[in-house]
Amino acid sequence: QQPVQSPQAVILREGEDAVINCSSSKALYSVHWYRQKHGEAPVFLMILLKGGEQKGHEKISASFNEKKQQSSLYLTASQLSYSGTYFCGTGYVQAGNMLTFGGGTRLMVKP
Amino acid sequence: NAGVTQTPKFQVLKTGQSMTLQCAQDMNHNSMYWYRQDPGMGLRLIYYSASEGTTDKGEVPNGYNVSRLNKREFSLRLESAAPSQTSVYFCASSETVAVIGEQYFGPGTRLTVT
């Protein structure tokens, strides 16, 4: 079952903050976050694992709430380069080596 | 280091025609994946290969077949193309041990079926 992302779209001014949520109806084992710019392939941002281990890069952070089966991606002091569509991919113990991706959140950062 | 490469970049097929999409990675990853992305939508997994010699169905496998030729190469075949298969196809690879690792995506193949 596909995870649900919210909001579907958000418009920011440079320097503003945003939060993107990813919710699952099943118990999560891992959550991946990717960003895709128009006409390009998705690019990895971060992975979060059950138990709290967090990996990632750039000035973007994320959290993983096991009880709520939810992950949130935090973009602070947004830059123009943050524009794109953000996808979460969820991994489940029963699902083996596959991720299920959400529908995406479109983020536009304006000057 | 090319990462993940896909051929062709663009393809137009007529209904009923067949074709194979090629994917290769040079990162020595054990796992490879095929996704499709319809306009304005997320990624849906078609098939994946956790390791050389194994393949498994994803969310939307109907109408497709795959071959993990060796550790580097993973091909996707459409036996009889249908307009519903018009989409962008992405191949990805990752190093997966206990947990699915970071997925590296190829540039995609834009397929139109008329």
Side-chain angles (χ1 to χ4, degrees):
Chain A
Q1 203 164 3
Q2 190 180 36
V4 177
Q5 288 186 233
S6 62
Q8 288 189 313
V10 59
I11 299 174
L12 299 173
R13 293 285 179 190
E14 257 187 306
E16 292 181 338
D17 301 340
V19 180
I20 299 171
N21 298 306
C22 175
S23 296
S24 172
S25 59
K26 298 193 293 184
L28 291 169
Y29 186 80
S30 65
V31 179
H32 289 219
W33 285 98
Y34 291 81
R35 178 171 61 210
Q36 184 179 32
K37 293 190 181 282
H38 184 69
E40 298 181 7
V43 174
F44 173 80
L45 293 174
M46 192 167 299
I47 179 170
L48 299 104
L49 305 174
K50 184 178 178 180
E53 186 178 350
Q54 177 175 323
K55 300 179 184 179
H57 57 90
E58 294 188 16
K59 300 175 184 176
I60 296 173
S61 62
S63 65
F64 184 1
N65 187 322
E66 292 173 38
K67 283 187 179 178
K68 290 186 177 180
Q69 294 165 181
Q70 178 178 313
S71 176
S72 296
L73 186 71
Y74 305 96
L75 302 112
T76 55
S78 59
Q79 306 167 17
L80 294 175
S81 62
Y82 285 7
S83 292
T85 302
Y86 290 77
F87 293 100
C88 68
T90 49
Y92 306 98
V93 173
Q94 307 91 336
N97 288 340
M98 59 180 279
L99 293 178
T100 304
F101 282 90
T105 296
R106 292 187 185 178
L107 178 76
M108 181 183 294
V109 181
K110 294 186 173 182
Chain B
N1 211 4
V4 180
T5 57
Q6 292 183 234
T7 55
K9 285 190 167 55
F10 300 93
Q11 184 71 48
V12 179
L13 291 178
K14 293 185 177 178
T15 298
Q17 288 185 318
S18 61
M19 78 163 295
T20 299
L21 282 65
Q22 306 287 353
C23 173
Q25 52 94 6
D26 62 2
M27 295 171 282
N28 203 37
H29 286 163
N30 57 351
S31 299
M32 296 185 74
Y33 309 83
W34 276 106
Y35 293 94
R36 61 176 287 174
Q37 186 176 36
D38 298 332
M41 306 288 284
L43 298 154
R44 291 187 293 170
L45 183 66
I46 304 171
Y47 271 93
Y48 68 101
S49 170
S51 60
E52 190 178 353
T54 68
T55 59
D56 285 287
K57 295 178 181 179
E59 302 168 70
V60 289
N62 291 343
Y64 305 95
N65 284 301
V66 291
S67 295
R68 183 76 183 266
L69 305 169
N70 48 55
K71 193 170 187 180
R72 288 187 65 247
E73 297 172 288
F74 190 36
S75 63
L76 178 72
R77 183 160 178 84
L78 287 73
E79 291 292 350
S80 178
S84 61
Q85 294 179 305
T86 293
S87 191
V88 179
Y89 291 84
F90 289 104
C91 175
S93 71
S94 71
E95 187 60 27
T96 298
V97 183
V99 179
I100 302 170
E102 171 182 349
Q103 294 198 357
Y104 293 80
F105 286 82
T109 294
R110 281 146 184 82
L111 175 67
T112 301
V113 183
T114 61

